[in-house]
Short mmCIF file of all heavy atoms in Angstrom, two decimals:
data_model
loop_
_atom_site.label_atom_id
_atom_site.label_comp_id
_atom_site.label_asym_id
_atom_site.label_seq_id
_atom_site.Cartn_x
_atom_site.Cartn_y
_atom_site.Cartn_z
N TYR A 32 10.62 13.41 -5.27
CA TYR A 32 10.27 14.71 -4.70
C TYR A 32 9.57 14.56 -3.36
O TYR A 32 8.62 13.79 -3.22
CB TYR A 32 9.36 15.46 -5.68
CG TYR A 32 8.93 16.82 -5.20
CD1 TYR A 32 9.70 17.94 -5.47
CD2 TYR A 32 7.75 17.00 -4.47
CE1 TYR A 32 9.31 19.21 -5.03
CE2 TYR A 32 7.36 18.23 -4.02
CZ TYR A 32 8.14 19.34 -4.32
OH TYR A 32 7.75 20.57 -3.87
N TYR A 36 5.26 21.03 4.65
CA TYR A 36 4.39 22.21 4.74
C TYR A 36 3.99 22.38 6.19
O TYR A 36 3.95 21.43 6.98
CB TYR A 36 3.09 21.98 3.94
CG TYR A 36 3.28 21.92 2.45
CD1 TYR A 36 3.62 20.72 1.82
CD2 TYR A 36 3.09 23.05 1.66
CE1 TYR A 36 3.77 20.66 0.43
CE2 TYR A 36 3.24 22.99 0.27
CZ TYR A 36 3.57 21.80 -0.32
OH TYR A 36 3.72 21.75 -1.68
N GLN A 38 0.68 24.15 8.38
CA GLN A 38 -0.68 24.66 8.20
C GLN A 38 -1.08 25.45 9.43
O GLN A 38 -1.03 24.92 10.55
CB GLN A 38 -1.67 23.52 7.98
CG GLN A 38 -3.07 24.02 7.74
CD GLN A 38 -4.05 22.89 7.50
OE1 GLN A 38 -3.82 21.73 7.83
NE2 GLN A 38 -5.18 23.21 6.87
N GLY A 41 -6.33 30.11 8.82
CA GLY A 41 -6.47 31.29 7.99
C GLY A 41 -5.34 31.50 6.98
O GLY A 41 -5.44 32.38 6.13
N GLY A 43 -3.81 28.69 5.26
CA GLY A 43 -3.66 27.55 4.37
C GLY A 43 -2.37 26.82 4.67
O GLY A 43 -1.84 26.85 5.79
N LEU A 44 -1.81 26.15 3.69
CA LEU A 44 -0.55 25.44 3.84
C LEU A 44 0.56 26.24 3.18
O LEU A 44 0.42 26.74 2.07
CB LEU A 44 -0.61 24.07 3.19
CG LEU A 44 -1.30 22.98 3.99
CD1 LEU A 44 -2.83 23.08 3.89
CD2 LEU A 44 -0.84 21.60 3.54
N GLN A 46 4.78 26.12 2.25
CA GLN A 46 5.89 25.19 2.11
C GLN A 46 7.09 25.65 2.90
O GLN A 46 7.48 26.83 2.83
CB GLN A 46 6.26 25.02 0.64
CG GLN A 46 7.21 23.85 0.40
CD GLN A 46 7.58 23.69 -1.06
OE1 GLN A 46 8.07 24.62 -1.68
NE2 GLN A 46 7.34 22.50 -1.59
N TYR A 49 11.76 21.74 0.43
CA TYR A 49 11.48 20.65 -0.46
C TYR A 49 12.78 20.00 -0.90
O TYR A 49 13.88 20.58 -0.74
CB TYR A 49 10.66 21.11 -1.68
CG TYR A 49 11.35 22.09 -2.59
CD1 TYR A 49 12.08 21.64 -3.69
CD2 TYR A 49 11.26 23.47 -2.38
CE1 TYR A 49 12.71 22.55 -4.53
CE2 TYR A 49 11.87 24.36 -3.21
CZ TYR A 49 12.60 23.90 -4.27
OH TYR A 49 13.23 24.79 -5.13
N ASP A 60 8.70 28.69 1.19
CA ASP A 60 8.28 30.05 1.53
C ASP A 60 8.60 30.45 2.96
O ASP A 60 8.80 31.63 3.25
CB ASP A 60 6.79 30.22 1.30
CG ASP A 60 6.43 30.22 -0.17
OD1 ASP A 60 7.28 30.62 -0.98
OD2 ASP A 60 5.29 29.79 -0.50
N PHE A 91 2.81 18.89 7.63
CA PHE A 91 2.56 17.83 6.65
C PHE A 91 3.81 17.59 5.81
O PHE A 91 4.45 18.53 5.32
CB PHE A 91 1.43 18.21 5.69
CG PHE A 91 0.06 18.13 6.31
CD1 PHE A 91 -0.55 19.31 6.73
CD2 PHE A 91 -0.60 16.94 6.44
CE1 PHE A 91 -1.82 19.26 7.29
CE2 PHE A 91 -1.87 16.89 7.00
CZ PHE A 91 -2.49 18.06 7.42
N SER A 95 5.67 13.43 -4.31
CA SER A 95 5.03 13.29 -5.61
C SER A 95 5.94 12.55 -6.59
O SER A 95 7.13 12.41 -6.35
CB SER A 95 4.61 14.64 -6.20
OG SER A 95 5.73 15.37 -6.60
N GLY A 96 5.33 12.10 -7.66
CA GLY A 96 6.02 11.31 -8.65
C GLY A 96 7.09 12.09 -9.37
O GLY A 96 7.25 13.30 -9.17
N GLY A 100 5.93 18.19 -14.86
CA GLY A 100 5.16 18.65 -15.99
C GLY A 100 3.88 17.86 -16.18
O GLY A 100 3.02 18.26 -16.95
N GLU A 101 3.74 16.74 -15.47
CA GLU A 101 2.51 15.98 -15.56
C GLU A 101 1.69 16.18 -14.31
O GLU A 101 2.13 16.75 -13.33
CB GLU A 101 2.83 14.50 -15.81
CG GLU A 101 3.58 14.27 -17.09
CD GLU A 101 3.74 12.79 -17.36
OE1 GLU A 101 2.97 12.00 -16.84
OE2 GLU A 101 4.66 12.44 -18.12
N SER A 102 0.52 15.66 -14.33
CA SER A 102 -0.38 15.89 -13.22
C SER A 102 -0.06 14.95 -12.06
O SER A 102 -0.93 14.18 -11.64
CB SER A 102 -1.82 15.70 -13.67
OG SER A 102 -2.00 14.40 -14.21
N ASP A 103 1.16 15.04 -11.56
CA ASP A 103 1.52 14.13 -10.50
C ASP A 103 0.87 14.58 -9.19
O ASP A 103 1.07 15.69 -8.76
CB ASP A 103 3.05 14.06 -10.34
CG ASP A 103 3.69 15.41 -10.25
OD1 ASP A 103 3.36 16.27 -11.07
OD2 ASP A 103 4.53 15.63 -9.36
N THR A 104 0.12 13.69 -8.64
CA THR A 104 -0.55 13.99 -7.39
C THR A 104 0.48 14.07 -6.27
O THR A 104 1.39 13.27 -6.21
CB THR A 104 -1.56 12.86 -7.07
OG1 THR A 104 -2.50 12.79 -8.13
CG2 THR A 104 -2.25 13.12 -5.75
N GLN A 105 0.29 15.05 -5.41
CA GLN A 105 1.12 15.11 -4.21
C GLN A 105 0.38 14.36 -3.09
O GLN A 105 -0.76 14.66 -2.75
CB GLN A 105 1.38 16.56 -3.80
CG GLN A 105 2.30 17.25 -4.76
CD GLN A 105 3.23 18.24 -4.10
OE1 GLN A 105 3.35 18.31 -2.88
NE2 GLN A 105 3.90 19.05 -4.93
N PHE A 107 0.02 13.33 0.70
CA PHE A 107 0.32 13.93 1.99
C PHE A 107 0.35 12.86 3.09
O PHE A 107 -0.44 11.91 3.07
CB PHE A 107 -0.71 14.99 2.35
CG PHE A 107 -0.49 16.28 1.64
CD1 PHE A 107 -0.91 16.44 0.32
CD2 PHE A 107 0.11 17.34 2.25
CE1 PHE A 107 -0.72 17.64 -0.35
CE2 PHE A 107 0.32 18.55 1.59
CZ PHE A 107 -0.10 18.69 0.28
N PHE B 36 -5.12 22.33 -8.35
CA PHE B 36 -5.54 21.15 -7.57
C PHE B 36 -6.59 21.57 -6.54
O PHE B 36 -6.59 22.70 -6.07
CB PHE B 36 -4.34 20.61 -6.78
CG PHE B 36 -3.17 20.16 -7.63
CD1 PHE B 36 -2.28 21.09 -8.16
CD2 PHE B 36 -2.93 18.82 -7.86
CE1 PHE B 36 -1.20 20.68 -8.92
CE2 PHE B 36 -1.86 18.40 -8.62
CZ PHE B 36 -0.99 19.33 -9.16
N TYR B 38 -7.94 19.97 -2.81
CA TYR B 38 -7.76 18.97 -1.75
C TYR B 38 -8.89 19.12 -0.73
O TYR B 38 -9.40 20.22 -0.49
CB TYR B 38 -6.43 19.16 -1.02
CG TYR B 38 -5.22 18.71 -1.79
CD1 TYR B 38 -4.61 19.54 -2.73
CD2 TYR B 38 -4.68 17.44 -1.58
CE1 TYR B 38 -3.50 19.10 -3.43
CE2 TYR B 38 -3.58 17.00 -2.29
CZ TYR B 38 -3.01 17.84 -3.21
OH TYR B 38 -1.90 17.42 -3.91
N GLN B 40 -9.87 18.35 3.32
CA GLN B 40 -9.30 18.05 4.64
C GLN B 40 -10.45 17.85 5.62
O GLN B 40 -11.02 18.82 6.12
CB GLN B 40 -8.38 19.17 5.11
CG GLN B 40 -7.67 18.82 6.41
CD GLN B 40 -6.68 19.88 6.85
OE1 GLN B 40 -6.94 21.10 6.71
NE2 GLN B 40 -5.55 19.46 7.38
N GLY B 44 -8.00 15.54 9.75
CA GLY B 44 -6.75 16.25 9.46
C GLY B 44 -6.02 15.87 8.22
O GLY B 44 -5.17 16.64 7.76
N MET B 46 -4.96 15.26 4.30
CA MET B 46 -5.19 15.99 3.07
C MET B 46 -5.45 15.00 1.96
O MET B 46 -4.58 14.18 1.64
CB MET B 46 -3.96 16.84 2.71
CG MET B 46 -3.69 17.95 3.69
SD MET B 46 -4.92 19.25 3.61
CE MET B 46 -4.47 20.02 2.05
N PHE B 48 -6.37 14.33 -1.97
CA PHE B 48 -6.42 14.89 -3.33
C PHE B 48 -7.77 14.58 -3.98
O PHE B 48 -8.26 13.45 -3.91
CB PHE B 48 -5.29 14.28 -4.16
CG PHE B 48 -5.42 14.53 -5.63
CD1 PHE B 48 -5.14 15.79 -6.15
CD2 PHE B 48 -5.84 13.54 -6.49
CE1 PHE B 48 -5.25 16.02 -7.51
CE2 PHE B 48 -5.96 13.75 -7.85
CZ PHE B 48 -5.67 15.01 -8.36
N TYR B 51 -7.56 17.52 -10.48
CA TYR B 51 -6.47 18.31 -11.06
C TYR B 51 -6.89 18.87 -12.42
O TYR B 51 -7.60 18.19 -13.19
CB TYR B 51 -5.24 17.42 -11.26
CG TYR B 51 -4.18 18.02 -12.13
CD1 TYR B 51 -3.23 18.90 -11.61
CD2 TYR B 51 -4.12 17.72 -13.48
CE1 TYR B 51 -2.28 19.47 -12.40
CE2 TYR B 51 -3.16 18.28 -14.30
CZ TYR B 51 -2.24 19.16 -13.76
OH TYR B 51 -1.27 19.73 -14.55
N PHE B 92 -9.37 22.97 0.02
CA PHE B 92 -8.28 23.85 -0.37
C PHE B 92 -8.06 23.80 -1.88
O PHE B 92 -7.98 22.72 -2.46
CB PHE B 92 -6.98 23.48 0.33
CG PHE B 92 -6.96 23.77 1.80
CD1 PHE B 92 -7.25 22.74 2.71
CD2 PHE B 92 -6.70 25.04 2.27
CE1 PHE B 92 -7.22 22.99 4.08
CE2 PHE B 92 -6.68 25.29 3.64
CZ PHE B 92 -6.94 24.27 4.54
N ARG B 96 0.27 24.84 -8.84
CA ARG B 96 1.70 24.59 -9.08
C ARG B 96 2.07 25.25 -10.38
O ARG B 96 1.48 24.98 -11.42
CB ARG B 96 1.97 23.11 -9.12
CG ARG B 96 3.42 22.76 -9.37
CD ARG B 96 3.75 21.35 -8.91
NE ARG B 96 3.05 20.33 -9.65
CZ ARG B 96 3.45 19.77 -10.77
NH1 ARG B 96 4.56 20.20 -11.33
NH2 ARG B 96 2.78 18.84 -11.35
N LEU B 99 5.17 24.14 -14.76
CA LEU B 99 5.08 22.71 -15.10
C LEU B 99 6.05 22.34 -16.20
O LEU B 99 6.62 21.25 -16.20
CB LEU B 99 3.66 22.37 -15.55
CG LEU B 99 2.56 22.43 -14.52
CD1 LEU B 99 1.25 21.97 -15.16
CD2 LEU B 99 2.88 21.58 -13.33
N GLY B 102 10.11 21.89 -15.33
CA GLY B 102 10.64 20.87 -14.42
C GLY B 102 11.09 21.47 -13.12
O GLY B 102 11.92 20.90 -12.42
N SER B 103 10.58 22.60 -12.77
CA SER B 103 11.05 23.28 -11.56
C SER B 103 10.42 22.62 -10.32
O SER B 103 9.65 21.67 -10.41
CB SER B 103 10.66 24.75 -11.62
OG SER B 103 9.25 24.87 -11.63
N ALA B 104 10.77 23.17 -9.21
CA ALA B 104 10.25 22.64 -7.94
C ALA B 104 8.73 22.54 -7.97
O ALA B 104 8.07 23.45 -8.45
CB ALA B 104 10.69 23.53 -6.79
N ARG B 105 8.23 21.46 -7.44
CA ARG B 105 6.79 21.21 -7.54
C ARG B 105 6.08 21.78 -6.32
O ARG B 105 5.28 21.12 -5.68
CB ARG B 105 6.56 19.73 -7.67
CG ARG B 105 6.84 19.22 -9.07
CD ARG B 105 6.95 17.73 -9.12
NE ARG B 105 8.32 17.35 -9.41
CZ ARG B 105 8.75 16.10 -9.43
NH1 ARG B 105 7.94 15.13 -9.12
NH2 ARG B 105 10.00 15.84 -9.72
N GLN B 106 6.37 23.04 -6.04
CA GLN B 106 5.75 23.66 -4.89
C GLN B 106 4.29 23.91 -5.15
O GLN B 106 3.90 24.45 -6.20
CB GLN B 106 6.44 24.99 -4.56
CG GLN B 106 5.81 25.73 -3.39
CD GLN B 106 6.48 27.05 -3.12
OE1 GLN B 106 7.23 27.55 -3.96
NE2 GLN B 106 6.22 27.62 -1.97
N LEU B 107 3.46 23.55 -4.20
CA LEU B 107 2.06 23.88 -4.25
C LEU B 107 1.82 25.12 -3.43
O LEU B 107 2.26 25.20 -2.28
CB LEU B 107 1.21 22.74 -3.69
CG LEU B 107 1.04 21.48 -4.53
CD1 LEU B 107 0.24 20.45 -3.77
CD2 LEU B 107 0.37 21.80 -5.85
N PHE B 109 -1.16 27.18 -1.69
CA PHE B 109 -2.49 26.92 -1.26
C PHE B 109 -3.28 28.18 -0.97
O PHE B 109 -2.71 29.20 -0.54
CB PHE B 109 -2.50 26.06 0.01
CG PHE B 109 -2.15 24.62 -0.20
CD1 PHE B 109 -0.84 24.22 -0.33
CD2 PHE B 109 -3.16 23.66 -0.27
CE1 PHE B 109 -0.52 22.87 -0.54
CE2 PHE B 109 -2.85 22.32 -0.45
CZ PHE B 109 -1.53 21.93 -0.62
N GLY B 110 -4.60 28.11 -1.15
CA GLY B 110 -5.48 29.14 -0.64
C GLY B 110 -5.76 28.91 0.82
O GLY B 110 -5.28 27.94 1.41
N SER B 111 -6.56 29.78 1.41
CA SER B 111 -6.82 29.72 2.85
C SER B 111 -7.93 28.74 3.19
O SER B 111 -8.19 28.47 4.37
CB SER B 111 -7.12 31.08 3.41
OG SER B 111 -8.21 31.66 2.70
#
Side-chain angles (χ1 to χ4, degrees):
Chain A
Y32 180 88
Y36 293 86
Q38 182 179 20
L44 280 79
Q46 192 180 55
Y49 65 92
D60 289 332
F91 286 100
S95 72
E101 298 187 22
S102 58
D103 50 314
T104 301
Q105 290 215 11
F107 282 79
Chain B
F36 300 78
Y38 284 85
Q40 186 177 39
M46 294 290 287
F48 167 75
Y51 166 84
F92 290 98
R96 179 158 64 86
L99 291 184
S103 64
R105 283 165 248 175
Q106 178 182 15
L107 286 177
F109 285 80
S111 56

